[in-house]
Amino acid sequence: MRVPVKAGAGLLSAAARAAIPCLWRGKCFGSGKEPVENSVTPMLRHLMYKIKSTGPITVAEYMKEALTNPAKGYYVHHDMLGEKGDFITSPEISQIFGELLGIWFISEWMATGKTGTFQLVELGPGRGTLAGDILRVFSQLGSVLKNCDISIHLVEVSQKLSEIQALTLTEEKVPLERSSGSPVYLKGVTKSGIPISWYRDLQDVPKGHSFYLAHEFFDVLPVHKFQKTPQGWREVFIDIDPQVPDKLRFVLAPCATPAEAFIQHDETRDHVEVCPDAGVIIQEISHRIALTGGAALIADYGHDGTKTDTFRGFCGHKLHDVLIAPGTADLTADVDFSYLRRMAQEKVASLGPIKQQTFLKNMGIDVRLKVLLDKSDEPSLRQQLLQGYDMLMNPKKMGERFNFFALLPHQRLHGGSHQSNAHQSKPSTSPVAGFSELVWK
């Protein structure tokens, strides 16, 4: 679990900024306790060379390099999940989480007309645990989905994680098809016989009636950070600290930068983080849902346009200074759901964000827990189930730290025209599960 602690101190005072209006303004602040010595990692050497060559870099470029650089990136070469990694996610804590999300997707498939095809697209699938729990629900409710052509599509940039996902999800007796130069770089069949494919980019996933899942995906996309100054908005960059060898620092840009265009003209906060990559992905998903139907479910740390400085790092389940030993720690920033809603550009309807505790309660987590407890006679398993429930639902743990957000076709909420055929039931305008109490019909 990533602990959502606000990153360090505020930026420069107005007086200090005014004194040096036309220079790169240095300011060192971090998101965790600094070690005595800075570890000079291969990524740090790469970034310092880059900065010496071209000048200070944006926080977005820093995040992109540190996390996804093909040669040295954190996500490309690390298995960062689980007790031995740097953080634990909800699917790793309890099977109930994934099961309820599986029910949500089936509920929405039923509500939108029981189409003959069902593409489940997961962005950033981790170890494949969540997809595995969802697939188990699909198998258990096979009678509901029996006439539906289901396929799984995973968007994953990490070769290491894709291999772990394949081990988790695919049938060993059916060899994987590998094609490194193709948009579909890995293909296989799940243990329940469903086709599964891997992609590096959402754009490569076939268009069609799809249900999209993004769990702790948007919070690791690169963000641009901005500070309000007497001269207007100034972007936060990362530079080499001239006072300390092999150390980075934050500085403020001397003038406006292109990414400033993403800040709302009526913005009232004095520090904002914007994520253009998230906007591009939301626009693509919204366009697809508006065109071919389906839905998207997003679960992540976040806020509705209220927080300011949330950029932080995690290493070994502890907060880690974002500028120390890049390439060895996870970097994350809270998702601004108001920005995602804005980027959907009214092509689709949106629901949320609502707290994880509320969403899971509406999905029937208490009933599911009771069923599992009643079936279990082993004390250790019962304790594990109860501890997992507490971690997911406790407001001081994950219950109020995670949010759920959905994108749906407008007609799903408001009725109206909807194309159908002989093999497709009439769509429903019933309440959306999770955002209201789940009702099976």
Side-chain angles (χ1 to χ4, degrees), residues 57-65 222-226 235-238 250-251 273 311 322-323 331:
I57 59 175
T58 65
V59 173
E61 188 172 0
Y62 177 80
M63 286 184 73
K64 186 175 182 180
E65 286 287 336
V223 296
H224 291 265
K225 291 172 69 66
F226 291 89
E235 186 164 1
V236 178
F237 276 65
I238 291 170
F250 289 103
V251 295
E273 297 165 335
F311 182 40
V322 294
L323 297 184
L331 301 177

mmCIF file with all atom_site columns, all heavy atoms in Angstrom, residues 57-65 222-226 235-238 250-251 273 311 322-323 331:
data_model
loop_
_atom_site.group_PDB
_atom_site.id
_atom_site.type_symbol
_atom_site.label_atom_id
_atom_site.label_alt_id
_atom_site.label_comp_id
_atom_site.label_asym_id
_atom_site.label_entity_id
_atom_site.label_seq_id
_atom_site.pdbx_PDB_ins_code
_atom_site.Cartn_x
_atom_site.Cartn_y
_atom_site.Cartn_z
_atom_site.occupancy
_atom_site.B_iso_or_equiv
_atom_site.pdbx_formal_charge
_atom_site.auth_seq_id
_atom_site.auth_comp_id
_atom_site.auth_asym_id
_atom_site.auth_atom_id
_atom_site.pdbx_PDB_model_num
ATOM 1   N N   . ILE A 1 57  ? 15.163 19.879 -16.168 1.00 0.00 ? 57  ILE A N   1
ATOM 2   C CA  . ILE A 1 57  ? 14.078 19.113 -16.790 1.00 0.00 ? 57  ILE A CA  1
ATOM 3   C C   . ILE A 1 57  ? 12.808 19.247 -15.960 1.00 0.00 ? 57  ILE A C   1
ATOM 4   O O   . ILE A 1 57  ? 12.852 19.518 -14.761 1.00 0.00 ? 57  ILE A O   1
ATOM 5   C CB  . ILE A 1 57  ? 14.450 17.622 -16.938 1.00 0.00 ? 57  ILE A CB  1
ATOM 6   C CG1 . ILE A 1 57  ? 14.760 16.988 -15.571 1.00 0.00 ? 57  ILE A CG1 1
ATOM 7   C CG2 . ILE A 1 57  ? 15.620 17.459 -17.888 1.00 0.00 ? 57  ILE A CG2 1
ATOM 8   C CD1 . ILE A 1 57  ? 15.009 15.482 -15.618 1.00 0.00 ? 57  ILE A CD1 1
ATOM 9   N N   . THR A 1 58  ? 11.663 19.048 -16.612 1.00 0.00 ? 58  THR A N   1
ATOM 10  C CA  . THR A 1 58  ? 10.382 19.115 -15.903 1.00 0.00 ? 58  THR A CA  1
ATOM 11  C C   . THR A 1 58  ? 10.238 17.916 -14.968 1.00 0.00 ? 58  THR A C   1
ATOM 12  O O   . THR A 1 58  ? 10.893 16.889 -15.135 1.00 0.00 ? 58  THR A O   1
ATOM 13  C CB  . THR A 1 58  ? 9.199  19.114 -16.884 1.00 0.00 ? 58  THR A CB  1
ATOM 14  O OG1 . THR A 1 58  ? 9.176  17.850 -17.577 1.00 0.00 ? 58  THR A OG1 1
ATOM 15  C CG2 . THR A 1 58  ? 9.304  20.246 -17.895 1.00 0.00 ? 58  THR A CG2 1
ATOM 16  N N   . VAL A 1 59  ? 9.362  18.043 -13.990 1.00 0.00 ? 59  VAL A N   1
ATOM 17  C CA  . VAL A 1 59  ? 9.059  16.916 -13.102 1.00 0.00 ? 59  VAL A CA  1
ATOM 18  C C   . VAL A 1 59  ? 8.481  15.761 -13.917 1.00 0.00 ? 59  VAL A C   1
ATOM 19  O O   . VAL A 1 59  ? 8.757  14.586 -13.653 1.00 0.00 ? 59  VAL A O   1
ATOM 20  C CB  . VAL A 1 59  ? 8.088  17.348 -11.983 1.00 0.00 ? 59  VAL A CB  1
ATOM 21  C CG1 . VAL A 1 59  ? 7.630  16.144 -11.157 1.00 0.00 ? 59  VAL A CG1 1
ATOM 22  C CG2 . VAL A 1 59  ? 8.748  18.384 -11.078 1.00 0.00 ? 59  VAL A CG2 1
ATOM 23  N N   . ALA A 1 60  ? 7.694  16.095 -14.949 1.00 0.00 ? 60  ALA A N   1
ATOM 24  C CA  . ALA A 1 60  ? 7.100  15.058 -15.810 1.00 0.00 ? 60  ALA A CA  1
ATOM 25  C C   . ALA A 1 60  ? 8.184  14.256 -16.515 1.00 0.00 ? 60  ALA A C   1
ATOM 26  O O   . ALA A 1 60  ? 8.127  13.020 -16.579 1.00 0.00 ? 60  ALA A O   1
ATOM 27  C CB  . ALA A 1 60  ? 6.154  15.696 -16.823 1.00 0.00 ? 60  ALA A CB  1
ATOM 28  N N   . GLU A 1 61  ? 9.201  14.949 -17.049 1.00 0.00 ? 61  GLU A N   1
ATOM 29  C CA  . GLU A 1 61  ? 10.280 14.243 -17.734 1.00 0.00 ? 61  GLU A CA  1
ATOM 30  C C   . GLU A 1 61  ? 11.085 13.405 -16.742 1.00 0.00 ? 61  GLU A C   1
ATOM 31  O O   . GLU A 1 61  ? 11.509 12.286 -17.053 1.00 0.00 ? 61  GLU A O   1
ATOM 32  C CB  . GLU A 1 61  ? 11.196 15.244 -18.447 1.00 0.00 ? 61  GLU A CB  1
ATOM 33  C CG  . GLU A 1 61  ? 12.225 14.584 -19.345 1.00 0.00 ? 61  GLU A CG  1
ATOM 34  C CD  . GLU A 1 61  ? 13.010 15.560 -20.206 1.00 0.00 ? 61  GLU A CD  1
ATOM 35  O OE1 . GLU A 1 61  ? 12.754 16.781 -20.120 1.00 0.00 ? 61  GLU A OE1 1
ATOM 36  O OE2 . GLU A 1 61  ? 13.875 15.096 -20.975 1.00 0.00 ? 61  GLU A OE2 1
ATOM 37  N N   . TYR A 1 62  ? 11.277 13.935 -15.549 1.00 0.00 ? 62  TYR A N   1
ATOM 38  C CA  . TYR A 1 62  ? 11.992 13.209 -14.499 1.00 0.00 ? 62  TYR A CA  1
ATOM 39  C C   . TYR A 1 62  ? 11.263 11.915 -14.150 1.00 0.00 ? 62  TYR A C   1
ATOM 40  O O   . TYR A 1 62  ? 11.859 10.838 -14.068 1.00 0.00 ? 62  TYR A O   1
ATOM 41  C CB  . TYR A 1 62  ? 12.120 14.099 -13.266 1.00 0.00 ? 62  TYR A CB  1
ATOM 42  C CG  . TYR A 1 62  ? 12.789 13.447 -12.076 1.00 0.00 ? 62  TYR A CG  1
ATOM 43  C CD1 . TYR A 1 62  ? 14.171 13.346 -11.998 1.00 0.00 ? 62  TYR A CD1 1
ATOM 44  C CD2 . TYR A 1 62  ? 12.027 12.945 -11.016 1.00 0.00 ? 62  TYR A CD2 1
ATOM 45  C CE1 . TYR A 1 62  ? 14.799 12.755 -10.902 1.00 0.00 ? 62  TYR A CE1 1
ATOM 46  C CE2 . TYR A 1 62  ? 12.637 12.352 -9.914  1.00 0.00 ? 62  TYR A CE2 1
ATOM 47  C CZ  . TYR A 1 62  ? 14.025 12.261 -9.868  1.00 0.00 ? 62  TYR A CZ  1
ATOM 48  O OH  . TYR A 1 62  ? 14.628 11.663 -8.783  1.00 0.00 ? 62  TYR A OH  1
ATOM 49  N N   . MET A 1 63  ? 9.945  11.998 -13.950 1.00 0.00 ? 63  MET A N   1
ATOM 50  C CA  . MET A 1 63  ? 9.144  10.815 -13.622 1.00 0.00 ? 63  MET A CA  1
ATOM 51  C C   . MET A 1 63  ? 9.197  9.786  -14.745 1.00 0.00 ? 63  MET A C   1
ATOM 52  O O   . MET A 1 63  ? 9.370  8.588  -14.515 1.00 0.00 ? 63  MET A O   1
ATOM 53  C CB  . MET A 1 63  ? 7.686  11.202 -13.353 1.00 0.00 ? 63  MET A CB  1
ATOM 54  C CG  . MET A 1 63  ? 7.429  11.895 -12.038 1.00 0.00 ? 63  MET A CG  1
ATOM 55  S SD  . MET A 1 63  ? 5.661  12.205 -11.777 1.00 0.00 ? 63  MET A SD  1
ATOM 56  C CE  . MET A 1 63  ? 5.042  10.552 -11.420 1.00 0.00 ? 63  MET A CE  1
ATOM 57  N N   . LYS A 1 64  ? 9.046  10.275 -15.972 1.00 0.00 ? 64  LYS A N   1
ATOM 58  C CA  . LYS A 1 64  ? 9.036  9.366  -17.131 1.00 0.00 ? 64  LYS A CA  1
ATOM 59  C C   . LYS A 1 64  ? 10.356 8.612  -17.240 1.00 0.00 ? 64  LYS A C   1
ATOM 60  O O   . LYS A 1 64  ? 10.375 7.394  -17.460 1.00 0.00 ? 64  LYS A O   1
ATOM 61  C CB  . LYS A 1 64  ? 8.757  10.159 -18.402 1.00 0.00 ? 64  LYS A CB  1
ATOM 62  C CG  . LYS A 1 64  ? 8.582  9.293  -19.645 1.00 0.00 ? 64  LYS A CG  1
ATOM 63  C CD  . LYS A 1 64  ? 8.189  10.135 -20.842 1.00 0.00 ? 64  LYS A CD  1
ATOM 64  C CE  . LYS A 1 64  ? 7.977  9.254  -22.070 1.00 0.00 ? 64  LYS A CE  1
ATOM 65  N NZ  . LYS A 1 64  ? 7.581  10.051 -23.259 1.00 0.00 ? 64  LYS A NZ  1
ATOM 66  N N   . GLU A 1 65  ? 11.462 9.320  -17.081 1.00 0.00 ? 65  GLU A N   1
ATOM 67  C CA  . GLU A 1 65  ? 12.777 8.677  -17.169 1.00 0.00 ? 65  GLU A CA  1
ATOM 68  C C   . GLU A 1 65  ? 12.976 7.693  -16.014 1.00 0.00 ? 65  GLU A C   1
ATOM 69  O O   . GLU A 1 65  ? 13.394 6.551  -16.220 1.00 0.00 ? 65  GLU A O   1
ATOM 70  C CB  . GLU A 1 65  ? 13.882 9.747  -17.143 1.00 0.00 ? 65  GLU A CB  1
ATOM 71  C CG  . GLU A 1 65  ? 14.011 10.535 -18.430 1.00 0.00 ? 65  GLU A CG  1
ATOM 72  C CD  . GLU A 1 65  ? 14.631 9.718  -19.552 1.00 0.00 ? 65  GLU A CD  1
ATOM 73  O OE1 . GLU A 1 65  ? 15.356 8.755  -19.279 1.00 0.00 ? 65  GLU A OE1 1
ATOM 74  O OE2 . GLU A 1 65  ? 14.379 10.057 -20.718 1.00 0.00 ? 65  GLU A OE2 1
ATOM 75  N N   . PRO A 1 222 ? 3.350  10.741 -15.516 1.00 0.00 ? 222 PRO A N   1
ATOM 76  C CA  . PRO A 1 222 ? 4.142  11.947 -15.233 1.00 0.00 ? 222 PRO A CA  1
ATOM 77  C C   . PRO A 1 222 ? 3.286  13.204 -15.064 1.00 0.00 ? 222 PRO A C   1
ATOM 78  O O   . PRO A 1 222 ? 2.359  13.442 -15.848 1.00 0.00 ? 222 PRO A O   1
ATOM 79  C CB  . PRO A 1 222 ? 5.038  12.072 -16.472 1.00 0.00 ? 222 PRO A CB  1
ATOM 80  C CG  . PRO A 1 222 ? 5.076  10.711 -17.069 1.00 0.00 ? 222 PRO A CG  1
ATOM 81  C CD  . PRO A 1 222 ? 3.736  10.106 -16.789 1.00 0.00 ? 222 PRO A CD  1
ATOM 82  N N   . VAL A 1 223 ? 3.609  13.990 -14.046 1.00 0.00 ? 223 VAL A N   1
ATOM 83  C CA  . VAL A 1 223 ? 2.891  15.246 -13.797 1.00 0.00 ? 223 VAL A CA  1
ATOM 84  C C   . VAL A 1 223 ? 3.826  16.439 -13.969 1.00 0.00 ? 223 VAL A C   1
ATOM 85  O O   . VAL A 1 223 ? 5.024  16.351 -13.700 1.00 0.00 ? 223 VAL A O   1
ATOM 86  C CB  . VAL A 1 223 ? 2.273  15.301 -12.382 1.00 0.00 ? 223 VAL A CB  1
ATOM 87  C CG1 . VAL A 1 223 ? 1.219  14.227 -12.205 1.00 0.00 ? 223 VAL A CG1 1
ATOM 88  C CG2 . VAL A 1 223 ? 3.332  15.218 -11.294 1.00 0.00 ? 223 VAL A CG2 1
ATOM 89  N N   . HIS A 1 224 ? 3.243  17.533 -14.434 1.00 0.00 ? 224 HIS A N   1
ATOM 90  C CA  . HIS A 1 224 ? 3.916  18.830 -14.411 1.00 0.00 ? 224 HIS A CA  1
ATOM 91  C C   . HIS A 1 224 ? 3.465  19.553 -13.147 1.00 0.00 ? 224 HIS A C   1
ATOM 92  O O   . HIS A 1 224 ? 2.273  19.553 -12.829 1.00 0.00 ? 224 HIS A O   1
ATOM 93  C CB  . HIS A 1 224 ? 3.551  19.659 -15.643 1.00 0.00 ? 224 HIS A CB  1
ATOM 94  C CG  . HIS A 1 224 ? 4.097  19.129 -16.927 1.00 0.00 ? 224 HIS A CG  1
ATOM 95  N ND1 . HIS A 1 224 ? 5.281  19.580 -17.482 1.00 0.00 ? 224 HIS A ND1 1
ATOM 96  C CD2 . HIS A 1 224 ? 3.631  18.167 -17.767 1.00 0.00 ? 224 HIS A CD2 1
ATOM 97  C CE1 . HIS A 1 224 ? 5.516  18.926 -18.614 1.00 0.00 ? 224 HIS A CE1 1
ATOM 98  N NE2 . HIS A 1 224 ? 4.522  18.066 -18.814 1.00 0.00 ? 224 HIS A NE2 1
ATOM 99  N N   . LYS A 1 225 ? 4.402  20.171 -12.435 1.00 0.00 ? 225 LYS A N   1
ATOM 100 C CA  . LYS A 1 225 ? 4.085  20.882 -11.203 1.00 0.00 ? 225 LYS A CA  1
ATOM 101 C C   . LYS A 1 225 ? 4.245  22.391 -11.421 1.00 0.00 ? 225 LYS A C   1
ATOM 102 O O   . LYS A 1 225 ? 5.217  22.837 -12.043 1.00 0.00 ? 225 LYS A O   1
ATOM 103 C CB  . LYS A 1 225 ? 4.997  20.426 -10.060 1.00 0.00 ? 225 LYS A CB  1
ATOM 104 C CG  . LYS A 1 225 ? 4.729  18.990 -9.609  1.00 0.00 ? 225 LYS A CG  1
ATOM 105 C CD  . LYS A 1 225 ? 5.761  18.498 -8.619  1.00 0.00 ? 225 LYS A CD  1
ATOM 106 C CE  . LYS A 1 225 ? 5.685  19.188 -7.278  1.00 0.00 ? 225 LYS A CE  1
ATOM 107 N NZ  . LYS A 1 225 ? 4.425  18.867 -6.567  1.00 0.00 ? 225 LYS A NZ  1
ATOM 108 N N   . PHE A 1 226 ? 3.315  23.144 -10.861 1.00 0.00 ? 226 PHE A N   1
ATOM 109 C CA  . PHE A 1 226 ? 3.343  24.596 -11.026 1.00 0.00 ? 226 PHE A CA  1
ATOM 110 C C   . PHE A 1 226 ? 3.147  25.301 -9.686  1.00 0.00 ? 226 PHE A C   1
ATOM 111 O O   . PHE A 1 226 ? 2.370  24.853 -8.838  1.00 0.00 ? 226 PHE A O   1
ATOM 112 C CB  . PHE A 1 226 ? 2.227  25.045 -11.980 1.00 0.00 ? 226 PHE A CB  1
ATOM 113 C CG  . PHE A 1 226 ? 2.448  24.631 -13.402 1.00 0.00 ? 226 PHE A CG  1
ATOM 114 C CD1 . PHE A 1 226 ? 1.979  23.403 -13.854 1.00 0.00 ? 226 PHE A CD1 1
ATOM 115 C CD2 . PHE A 1 226 ? 3.131  25.446 -14.280 1.00 0.00 ? 226 PHE A CD2 1
ATOM 116 C CE1 . PHE A 1 226 ? 2.191  23.001 -15.160 1.00 0.00 ? 226 PHE A CE1 1
ATOM 117 C CE2 . PHE A 1 226 ? 3.345  25.055 -15.593 1.00 0.00 ? 226 PHE A CE2 1
ATOM 118 C CZ  . PHE A 1 226 ? 2.879  23.835 -16.030 1.00 0.00 ? 226 PHE A CZ  1
ATOM 119 N N   . GLU A 1 235 ? 6.565  26.933 -13.701 1.00 0.00 ? 235 GLU A N   1
ATOM 120 C CA  . GLU A 1 235 ? 6.682  25.491 -13.587 1.00 0.00 ? 235 GLU A CA  1
ATOM 121 C C   . GLU A 1 235 ? 7.877  25.093 -12.722 1.00 0.00 ? 235 GLU A C   1
ATOM 122 O O   . GLU A 1 235 ? 8.927  25.739 -12.745 1.00 0.00 ? 235 GLU A O   1
ATOM 123 C CB  . GLU A 1 235 ? 6.821  24.852 -14.975 1.00 0.00 ? 235 GLU A CB  1
ATOM 124 C CG  . GLU A 1 235 ? 6.799  23.337 -14.927 1.00 0.00 ? 235 GLU A CG  1
ATOM 125 C CD  . GLU A 1 235 ? 6.560  22.673 -16.267 1.00 0.00 ? 235 GLU A CD  1
ATOM 126 O OE1 . GLU A 1 235 ? 6.425  23.387 -17.290 1.00 0.00 ? 235 GLU A OE1 1
ATOM 127 O OE2 . GLU A 1 235 ? 6.496  21.420 -16.303 1.00 0.00 ? 235 GLU A OE2 1
ATOM 128 N N   . VAL A 1 236 ? 7.698  24.018 -11.958 1.00 0.00 ? 236 VAL A N   1
ATOM 129 C CA  . VAL A 1 236 ? 8.778  23.463 -11.147 1.00 0.00 ? 236 VAL A CA  1
ATOM 130 C C   . VAL A 1 236 ? 9.619  22.539 -12.021 1.00 0.00 ? 236 VAL A C   1
ATOM 131 O O   . VAL A 1 236 ? 9.083  21.647 -12.674 1.00 0.00 ? 236 VAL A O   1
ATOM 132 C CB  . VAL A 1 236 ? 8.209  22.678 -9.938  1.00 0.00 ? 236 VAL A CB  1
ATOM 133 C CG1 . VAL A 1 236 ? 9.349  22.059 -9.123  1.00 0.00 ? 236 VAL A CG1 1
ATOM 134 C CG2 . VAL A 1 236 ? 7.352  23.591 -9.053  1.00 0.00 ? 236 VAL A CG2 1
ATOM 135 N N   . PHE A 1 237 ? 10.921 22.776 -12.036 1.00 0.00 ? 237 PHE A N   1
ATOM 136 C CA  . PHE A 1 237 ? 11.861 21.942 -12.786 1.00 0.00 ? 237 PHE A CA  1
ATOM 137 C C   . PHE A 1 237 ? 12.818 21.249 -11.815 1.00 0.00 ? 237 PHE A C   1
ATOM 138 O O   . PHE A 1 237 ? 12.827 21.545 -10.621 1.00 0.00 ? 237 PHE A O   1
ATOM 139 C CB  . PHE A 1 237 ? 12.671 22.796 -13.764 1.00 0.00 ? 237 PHE A CB  1
ATOM 140 C CG  . PHE A 1 237 ? 11.976 23.067 -15.079 1.00 0.00 ? 237 PHE A CG  1
ATOM 141 C CD1 . PHE A 1 237 ? 10.803 23.817 -15.131 1.00 0.00 ? 237 PHE A CD1 1
ATOM 142 C CD2 . PHE A 1 237 ? 12.498 22.583 -16.271 1.00 0.00 ? 237 PHE A CD2 1
ATOM 143 C CE1 . PHE A 1 237 ? 10.175 24.080 -16.338 1.00 0.00 ? 237 PHE A CE1 1
ATOM 144 C CE2 . PHE A 1 237 ? 11.877 22.839 -17.486 1.00 0.00 ? 237 PHE A CE2 1
ATOM 145 C CZ  . PHE A 1 237 ? 10.710 23.584 -17.518 1.00 0.00 ? 237 PHE A CZ  1
ATOM 146 N N   . ILE A 1 238 ? 13.621 20.335 -12.343 1.00 0.00 ? 238 ILE A N   1
ATOM 147 C CA  . ILE A 1 238 ? 14.638 19.647 -11.549 1.00 0.00 ? 238 ILE A CA  1
ATOM 148 C C   . ILE A 1 238 ? 16.004 19.944 -12.150 1.00 0.00 ? 238 ILE A C   1
ATOM 149 O O   . ILE A 1 238 ? 16.214 19.817 -13.362 1.00 0.00 ? 238 ILE A O   1
ATOM 150 C CB  . ILE A 1 238 ? 14.361 18.133 -11.492 1.00 0.00 ? 238 ILE A CB  1
ATOM 151 C CG1 . ILE A 1 238 ? 13.101 17.886 -10.658 1.00 0.00 ? 238 ILE A CG1 1
ATOM 152 C CG2 . ILE A 1 238 ? 15.554 17.374 -10.906 1.00 0.00 ? 238 ILE A CG2 1
ATOM 153 C CD1 . ILE A 1 238 ? 12.572 16.475 -10.715 1.00 0.00 ? 238 ILE A CD1 1
ATOM 154 N N   . PHE A 1 250 ? 14.947 21.041 -6.701  1.00 0.00 ? 250 PHE A N   1
ATOM 155 C CA  . PHE A 1 250 ? 13.853 21.660 -7.439  1.00 0.00 ? 250 PHE A CA  1
ATOM 156 C C   . PHE A 1 250 ? 14.181 23.132 -7.671  1.00 0.00 ? 250 PHE A C   1
ATOM 157 O O   . PHE A 1 250 ? 14.750 23.794 -6.807  1.00 0.00 ? 250 PHE A O   1
ATOM 158 C CB  . PHE A 1 250 ? 12.539 21.567 -6.665  1.00 0.00 ? 250 PHE A CB  1
ATOM 159 C CG  . PHE A 1 250 ? 11.960 20.182 -6.593  1.00 0.00 ? 250 PHE A CG  1
ATOM 160 C CD1 . PHE A 1 250 ? 12.064 19.435 -5.439  1.00 0.00 ? 250 PHE A CD1 1
ATOM 161 C CD2 . PHE A 1 250 ? 11.306 19.632 -7.684  1.00 0.00 ? 250 PHE A CD2 1
ATOM 162 C CE1 . PHE A 1 250 ? 11.527 18.162 -5.359  1.00 0.00 ? 250 PHE A CE1 1
ATOM 163 C CE2 . PHE A 1 250 ? 10.761 18.361 -7.614  1.00 0.00 ? 250 PHE A CE2 1
ATOM 164 C CZ  . PHE A 1 250 ? 10.876 17.621 -6.453  1.00 0.00 ? 250 PHE A CZ  1
ATOM 165 N N   . VAL A 1 251 ? 13.792 23.637 -8.836  1.00 0.00 ? 251 VAL A N   1
ATOM 166 C CA  . VAL A 1 251 ? 13.929 25.062 -9.141  1.00 0.00 ? 251 VAL A CA  1
ATOM 167 C C   . VAL A 1 251 ? 12.659 25.531 -9.849  1.00 0.00 ? 251 VAL A C   1
ATOM 168 O O   . VAL A 1 251 ? 11.901 24.718 -10.397 1.00 0.00 ? 251 VAL A O   1
ATOM 169 C CB  . VAL A 1 251 ? 15.158 25.343 -10.042 1.00 0.00 ? 251 VAL A CB  1
ATOM 170 C CG1 . VAL A 1 251 ? 16.449 25.015 -9.313  1.00 0.00 ? 251 VAL A CG1 1
ATOM 171 C CG2 . VAL A 1 251 ? 15.067 24.563 -11.354 1.00 0.00 ? 251 VAL A CG2 1
ATOM 172 N N   . GLU A 1 273 ? -0.722 20.325 -9.859  1.00 0.00 ? 273 GLU A N   1
ATOM 173 C CA  . GLU A 1 273 ? -0.070 19.268 -10.634 1.00 0.00 ? 273 GLU A CA  1
ATOM 174 C C   . GLU A 1 273 ? -1.006 18.883 -11.770 1.00 0.00 ? 273 GLU A C   1
ATOM 175 O O   . GLU A 1 273 ? -2.197 18.622 -11.537 1.00 0.00 ? 273 GLU A O   1
ATOM 176 C CB  . GLU A 1 273 ? 0.204  18.050 -9.742  1.00 0.00 ? 273 GLU A CB  1
ATOM 177 C CG  . GLU A 1 273 ? 1.168  18.349 -8.607  1.00 0.00 ? 273 GLU A CG  1
ATOM 178 C CD  . GLU A 1 273 ? 1.178  17.299 -7.511  1.00 0.00 ? 273 GLU A CD  1
ATOM 179 O OE1 . GLU A 1 273 ? 0.165  16.589 -7.353  1.00 0.00 ? 273 GLU A OE1 1
ATOM 180 O OE2 . GLU A 1 273 ? 2.198  17.203 -6.803  1.00 0.00 ? 273 GLU A OE2 1
ATOM 181 N N   . PHE A 1 311 ? 3.294  14.983 -4.883  1.00 0.00 ? 311 PHE A N   1
ATOM 182 C CA  . PHE A 1 311 ? 4.366  14.195 -5.495  1.00 0.00 ? 311 PHE A CA  1
ATOM 183 C C   . PHE A 1 311 ? 5.222  13.552 -4.400  1.00 0.00 ? 311 PHE A C   1
ATOM 184 O O   . PHE A 1 311 ? 5.726  14.225 -3.512  1.00 0.00 ? 311 PHE A O   1
ATOM 185 C CB  . PHE A 1 311 ? 5.222  15.127 -6.364  1.00 0.00 ? 311 PHE A CB  1
ATOM 186 C CG  . PHE A 1 311 ? 6.342  14.463 -7.106  1.00 0.00 ? 311 PHE A CG  1
ATOM 187 C CD1 . PHE A 1 311 ? 6.181  13.213 -7.697  1.00 0.00 ? 311 PHE A CD1 1
ATOM 188 C CD2 . PHE A 1 311 ? 7.565  15.106 -7.247  1.00 0.00 ? 311 PHE A CD2 1
ATOM 189 C CE1 . PHE A 1 311 ? 7.210  12.609 -8.398  1.00 0.00 ? 311 PHE A CE1 1
ATOM 190 C CE2 . PHE A 1 311 ? 8.608  14.521 -7.956  1.00 0.00 ? 311 PHE A CE2 1
ATOM 191 C CZ  . PHE A 1 311 ? 8.429  13.270 -8.529  1.00 0.00 ? 311 PHE A CZ  1
ATOM 192 N N   . VAL A 1 322 ? 11.901 11.921 -3.298  1.00 0.00 ? 322 VAL A N   1
ATOM 193 C CA  . VAL A 1 322 ? 11.729 11.725 -4.743  1.00 0.00 ? 322 VAL A CA  1
ATOM 194 C C   . VAL A 1 322 ? 12.997 12.007 -5.545  1.00 0.00 ? 322 VAL A C   1
ATOM 195 O O   . VAL A 1 322 ? 13.133 11.527 -6.679  1.00 0.00 ? 322 VAL A O   1
ATOM 196 C CB  . VAL A 1 322 ? 10.571 12.589 -5.294  1.00 0.00 ? 322 VAL A CB  1
ATOM 197 C CG1 . VAL A 1 322 ? 9.235  12.131 -4.734  1.00 0.00 ? 322 VAL A CG1 1
ATOM 198 C CG2 . VAL A 1 322 ? 10.798 14.066 -5.008  1.00 0.00 ? 322 VAL A CG2 1
ATOM 199 N N   . LEU A 1 323 ? 13.914 12.782 -4.982  1.00 0.00 ? 323 LEU A N   1
ATOM 200 C CA  . LEU A 1 323 ? 15.116 13.139 -5.722  1.00 0.00 ? 323 LEU A CA  1
ATOM 201 C C   . LEU A 1 323 ? 16.318 12.272 -5.372  1.00 0.00 ? 323 LEU A C   1
ATOM 202 O O   . LEU A 1 323 ? 17.395 12.450 -5.929  1.00 0.00 ? 323 LEU A O   1
ATOM 203 C CB  . LEU A 1 323 ? 15.465 14.620 -5.468  1.00 0.00 ? 323 LEU A CB  1
ATOM 204 C CG  . LEU A 1 323 ? 14.426 15.643 -5.936  1.00 0.00 ? 323 LEU A CG  1
ATOM 205 C CD1 . LEU A 1 323 ? 14.937 17.057 -5.721  1.00 0.00 ? 323 LEU A CD1 1
ATOM 206 C CD2 . LEU A 1 323 ? 14.043 15.439 -7.395  1.00 0.00 ? 323 LEU A CD2 1
ATOM 207 N N   . LEU A 1 331 ? 7.517  6.417  -7.919  1.00 0.00 ? 331 LEU A N   1
ATOM 208 C CA  . LEU A 1 331 ? 7.148  7.829  -7.847  1.00 0.00 ? 331 LEU A CA  1
ATOM 209 C C   . LEU A 1 331 ? 5.674  7.958  -8.181  1.00 0.00 ? 331 LEU A C   1
ATOM 210 O O   . LEU A 1 331 ? 5.175  7.307  -9.101  1.00 0.00 ? 331 LEU A O   1
ATOM 211 C CB  . LEU A 1 331 ? 7.980  8.659  -8.831  1.00 0.00 ? 331 LEU A CB  1
ATOM 212 C CG  . LEU A 1 331 ? 9.498  8.612  -8.653  1.00 0.00 ? 331 LEU A CG  1
ATOM 213 C CD1 . LEU A 1 331 ? 10.182 9.416  -9.748  1.00 0.00 ? 331 LEU A CD1 1
ATOM 214 C CD2 . LEU A 1 331 ? 9.905  9.119  -7.280  1.00 0.00 ? 331 LEU A CD2 1
#
